[in-house]
Amino acid sequence: MKSIVVLLLVFSFFSSSLAQELTLVKNRKSDFTIIIPEQPTLEEIKGAKVLQHYLFRIAGVELPVKKDSGLPGANEILIGKVNRPETAQLPYDEMGKDGLYIGNNGKQLILTGGPKKGVEYAVYTFLEQYLGCKKYTATFEVVPQQKTIKIPQVADLQVPDFSFREVYYNHAYDPKFMDWHKLHSHTERGEIPAEWGHWVHTFHSFLNPEEYGESHPEYFSFYEGKRHPGLVPSWDGKSVQPESQLCLTNPDVLEIVCENLQKAIDEKPDALYWSVSQNDNVNYCQCEHCAALDAKYAAFAPEEKMYATHSGEYPALGMGSMLTFVNKVAERFPDKIISTLAYQYTRVPPKNIVPRENVNIMLCSIESTRNEPMESGDPDFSNDLKGWGQITDNILVWDYNIQFANLLAPFPNLRTLQPNISFLRDNNVSAVFAQGNIQAGGESAEIRAYLLAKLLWNPDLDAEKEMEDFWKAYYGKAAPYIKDYISLLHENNQGFTGRKMSIFGNPKQEKDSFLSPALLSKYNELFDKAEKAVRRNPEQLKRVKSARLPVTFAMLEIIKEEEGGNWKTYQEGDQKKLKLPEEVSNLLYDFYFQCMDTEVSRLSEWHTTPKEYLRNYQLLIVNE
């Protein structure tokens, strides 16, 4: 975050009065008035009412909200662009669309910001940084009680490093949580407008194989000696998806894509970002013309470098044909930002070609390890990011922050979040989509969403202090034990040469690192103490039990692998089931109940409800 605090030299207008402290409330009484412009925006109205609401909760005083009359009065809180010399001289051109300014000139408190949501952000930031309010989750916030409120001298200008900040967690899309933490969304959520018209893997939306596959196979990828215009089962097995990509050098493809893109824009004219990007497969076109462009602009020859992914290996071709095509699309839509993926076979930055100014590169870190910061843990990705950062500053990084295959598995990556986000900031990344768990529940969902939101606004904050404050507030007397558990997890996760903690991994792979029998025993000891410490506080006890679910899940997975082969079986219909030992049954039933009690919806991305997990656990193990 670009932050300038106490701007004594910049704002000489305030120099004679900046040293004065401002007393907003004294002994639960105040003669201040909240002033909004004569013709206020929705953001200014909301900012004023939010401030009024929290000041009443903090000090029991309800300040009046009045429109600006143009005549300065005493004891004013100025919200937004009121008609005052004090606000007219502020550097709005530096704030961008959602930067903010908090000022005390000794007579007035000024809360304002950029035209998007800067005013609202100024109010929420003032409440948190100057009055001590905290919003830790969508349903849990801390509002300290104060009889007297004094504001020190301040001229605080904050401008975010990232113009787009999205945290993909279920509870993080609560509108109040989003506004408090200054987050965006690529889709419309309540009053939060959509920044994006279309969002990734859009080739099939603009040129559908079902419509053109039979009549024009030449529009689709050529490889293995023929065109591939067909459809295949999707990853979830419930639908179909394109078998391949588009032939990006066919002139008709460009015309059809642009025609359909224009139709989509006509339906959502206010959306700024439009993704024109590859389908979710690596079957790119290798026809004579596409291959020539890929070779012309590739940073490496195909035989020089291969990238390994969860779906196999592919050559580091660069994205010559892709960027050539997307640049042509962007040229026809100069008032929109055309985004395209740098993902798997298109991830490597090209040479001798650059994105147009209105082209956004969405770079994906799906291959990176999660037990080390990406800069040191994944040299291939970090080099690609640095390469993109040298040719464009319009980069959105799609970063992955959880274990998608097992949403409740212990996944100790909290210590990599800050170095990763700082690394992105330092290499020309302008936007971040931090993918977490869109399902309800999940391992460390609350603290991870909170910390990601904080870091996306200010990558330089004290992350350890933020986590410490979160644990104390959220877990109460159990906080020291939760902290020790988190520390043990992380201390046994980093520093393993050659080891990779994958987003597609599972607890059974970590039996020799942070999920060893000895460590699992220590984790359970800590949680026993944590539960005892808050046994008389039902809400905090429920949170502790929720935090314990990953340990129980890991134990269930490891026990079944190691001991399940020796369990007796019985026949139920056409299924052969395992007869679980009593201690395993009790562990499983408790796990199921706690999932239900804490509203966990899935144990794997889009798959496996707690009920399904309970039933499947008893099935005979086959080839696990």
Side-chain angles (χ1 to χ4, degrees):
M1 176 186 65
K2 310 173 188 74
S3 180
I4 307 171
V5 181
V6 190
L7 306 173
L8 293 170
L9 297 178
V10 178
F11 301 117
S12 59
F13 183 87
F14 301 139
S15 60
S16 63
S17 54
L18 258 174
Q20 298 181 34
E21 189 176 61
L22 201 62
T23 302
L24 293 183
V25 179
K26 186 175 182 179
N27 293 326
R28 300 196 183 281
K29 294 182 179 180
S30 177
D31 54 4
F32 272 78
T33 300
I34 300 172
I35 304 295
I36 58 176
E38 186 176 6
Q39 300 296 330
T41 65
L42 289 175
E43 290 76 18
E44 289 164 336
I45 294 170
K46 185 175 178 181
K49 296 303 292 183
V50 167
L51 180 64
Q52 181 190 56
H53 169 76
Y54 276 94
L55 287 176
F56 180 77
R57 290 180 62 185
I58 294 168
V61 295
E62 186 165 351
L63 303 188
V65 176
K66 295 184 178 180
K67 291 185 179 180
D68 181 21
S69 65
L71 297 175
N75 300 331
E76 294 178 326
I77 301 176
L78 307 181
I79 303 291
K81 289 189 174 183
V82 295
N83 186 21
R84 295 283 193 280
E86 294 87 348
T87 60
Q89 296 190 19
L90 295 177
Y92 282 100
D93 56 338
E94 296 181 27
M95 296 181 195
K97 66 179 183 179
D98 57 9
L100 62 89
Y101 175 80
I102 300 169
N104 161 23
N105 62 15
K107 297 179 180 179
Q108 298 148 316
L109 174 65
I110 301 171
L111 303 174
T112 189
K116 199 77 172 181
K117 285 210 167 195
V119 175
E120 291 181 50
Y121 295 164
V123 170
Y124 286 120
T125 301
F126 171 72
L127 290 170
E128 179 162 347
Q129 295 185 5
Y130 296 90
L131 299 187
C133 299
K134 289 280 191 176
K135 194 166 188 66
Y136 290 110
T137 73
T139 57
F140 177 64
E141 63 183 17
V142 173
V143 180
Q145 302 298 295
Q146 301 179 44
K147 292 182 179 180
T148 298
I149 298 176
K150 294 184 178 182
I151 308 303
Q153 68 172 63
V154 63
D156 184 356
L157 173 66
Q158 298 184 21
V159 183
D161 293 299
F162 303 112
S163 60
F164 180 84
R165 306 169 298 278
E166 183 163 7
V167 174
Y168 196 68
Y169 263 101
N170 183 279
H171 70 275
Y173 288 111
D174 172 80
K176 292 180 182 178
F177 186 91
M178 289 186 70
D179 283 345
W180 189 291
H181 292 287
K182 313 169 190 71
L183 296 174
H184 302 111
S185 173
H186 69 277
T187 59
E188 186 174 346
R189 298 183 187 274
E191 293 184 359
I192 308 296
E195 296 274 342
W196 290 72
H198 277 4
W199 176 257
V200 305
H201 303 314
T202 60
F203 274 178
H204 73 284
S205 299
F206 295 125
L207 203 158
N208 195 329
E210 290 184 291
E211 182 178 357
Y212 293 99
E214 291 188 9
S215 59
H216 291 281
E218 71 274 13
Y219 292 170
F220 302 92
S221 293
F222 176 90
Y223 57 92
E224 296 177 347
K226 64 178 183 178
R227 297 285 176 177
H228 291 260
L231 297 165
V232 296
S234 65
W235 58 270
D236 62 5
K238 298 178 181 178
S239 58
V240 293
Q241 64 182 14
E243 178 185 7
S244 69
Q245 307 293 339
L246 302 179
C247 180
L248 298 177
T249 53
N250 186 310
D252 291 344
V253 169
L254 177 64
E255 297 305 320
I256 294 170
V257 167
C258 288
E259 178 183 347
N260 287 325
L261 175 57
Q262 183 62 63
K263 291 178 182 178
I265 290 174
D266 291 342
E267 293 179 2
K268 292 183 179 180
D270 294 333
L272 177 61
Y273 293 86
W274 290 88
S275 181
V276 178
S277 56
Q278 66 207 59
N279 298 321
D280 199 4
N281 62 66
V282 296
N283 300 323
Y284 56 91
C285 186
Q286 299 174 40
C287 75
E288 176 184 359
H289 303 294
C290 288
L293 284 177
D294 285 336
K296 178 180 179 180
Y297 297 119
F300 303 97
E303 65 274 9
E304 289 181 13
K305 202 169 190 179
M306 298 289 286
Y307 278 25
T309 75
H310 63 286
S311 57
E313 287 193 336
Y314 56 90
L317 292 175
M319 61 182 312
S321 57
M322 181 69 72
L323 190 54
T324 300
F325 180 83
V326 170
N327 277 346
K328 290 178 180 178
V329 174
E331 186 176 4
R332 300 196 187 188
F333 299 91
D335 60 335
K336 300 296 181 182
I337 296 178
I338 307 302
S339 177
T340 199
L341 285 163
Y343 172 63
Q344 297 189 334
Y345 70 93
T346 58
R347 201 186 81 183
V348 180
K351 64 178 182 181
N352 302 324
I353 185 174
V354 299
R356 281 179 56 89
E357 186 176 352
N358 64 320
V359 168
N360 167 261
I361 299 299
M362 184 182 285
L363 180 61
C364 303
S365 65
I366 194 169
E367 297 88 3
S368 295
T369 183
R370 306 294 145 177
N371 56 303
E372 298 288 346
M374 61 177 63
E375 184 174 14
S376 58
D378 189 349
D380 282 340
F381 178 83
S382 61
N383 288 335
D384 288 347
L385 173 58
K386 292 174 183 177
W388 281 112
Q390 291 171 2
I391 62 176
T392 181
D393 61 0
N394 196 344
I395 303 171
L396 183 152
V397 166
W398 182 317
D399 194 25
Y400 306 77
N401 295 281
I402 60 170
Q403 190 170 94
F404 295 92
N406 295 283
L407 298 174
L408 274 179
F411 197 70
N413 70 330
L414 291 175
R415 292 180 181 176
T416 68
L417 300 183
Q418 183 163 36
N420 283 352
I421 290 173
S422 297
F423 176 61
L424 303 184
R425 185 266 314 273
D426 295 342
N427 284 278
N428 253 357
V429 173
S430 59
V432 177
F433 176 76
Q435 187 172 10
N437 181 17
I438 196 59
Q439 310 292 326
E443 190 263 353
S444 297
E446 296 83 7
I447 181 63
R448 197 180 284 112
Y450 174 80
L451 190 57
L452 283 167
K454 287 290 184 189
L455 289 168
L456 289 180
W457 181 259
N458 180 13
D460 298 318
L461 60 73
D462 187 339
E464 287 297 325
K465 183 179 185 304
E466 289 292 345
M467 287 191 285
E468 184 88 21
D469 291 346
F470 182 97
W471 289 321
K472 287 180 180 179
Y474 199 64
Y475 296 109
K477 293 180 180 179
Y481 307 109
I482 302 296
K483 179 183 177 182
D484 287 348
Y485 160 67
I486 295 293
S487 295
L488 270 176
L489 271 178
H490 286 75
E491 288 164 7
N492 289 276
N493 183 39
Q494 294 181 294
F496 291 81
T497 304
R499 178 177 156 269
K500 178 177 180 178
M501 189 172 77
S502 168
I503 62 175
F504 301 107
N506 61 70
K508 294 172 284 189
Q509 296 172 334
E510 306 297 346
K511 293 186 296 182
D512 296 326
S513 57
F514 57 85
L515 294 179
S516 68
L519 284 171
L520 285 170
S521 178
K522 288 183 180 180
Y523 301 153
N524 280 306
E525 290 176 10
L526 288 170
F527 275 109
D528 287 343
K529 293 177 181 178
E531 289 185 19
K532 183 178 179 180
V534 294
R535 64 189 182 279
R536 291 187 175 90
N537 187 316
E539 189 60 34
Q540 290 177 348
L541 179 59
K542 185 175 180 178
R543 293 171 190 160
V544 170
K545 287 180 177 291
S546 178
R548 189 173 193 161
L549 276 172
V551 175
T552 307
F553 176 75
M555 292 173 63
L556 286 167
E557 290 292 286
I558 293 171
I559 287 171
K560 186 174 182 181
E561 182 199 41
E562 293 185 341
E563 301 178 12
N566 298 321
W567 296 339
K568 295 180 180 180
T569 64
Y570 66 96
Q571 196 74 25
E572 185 176 286
D574 60 351
Q575 292 183 326
K576 184 172 284 190
K577 290 190 173 183
L578 296 167
K579 189 173 183 180
L580 307 183
E582 185 174 355
E583 63 274 15
V584 178
S585 293
N586 290 336
L587 195 65
L588 179 63
Y589 301 157
D590 184 64
F591 174 77
Y592 169 73
F593 173 77
Q594 295 303 331
C595 284
M596 293 295 95
D597 194 43
T598 54
E599 300 179 347
V600 172
S601 60
R602 303 281 175 175
L603 275 66
S604 179
E605 188 184 24
W606 307 117
H607 297 285
T608 316
T609 65
K611 181 187 291 187
E612 289 169 340
Y613 182 80
L614 174 66
R615 290 174 175 172
N616 294 341
Y617 194 89
Q618 300 176 79
L619 295 178
L620 178 65
I621 303 171
V622 179
N623 296 327
E624 281 200 9

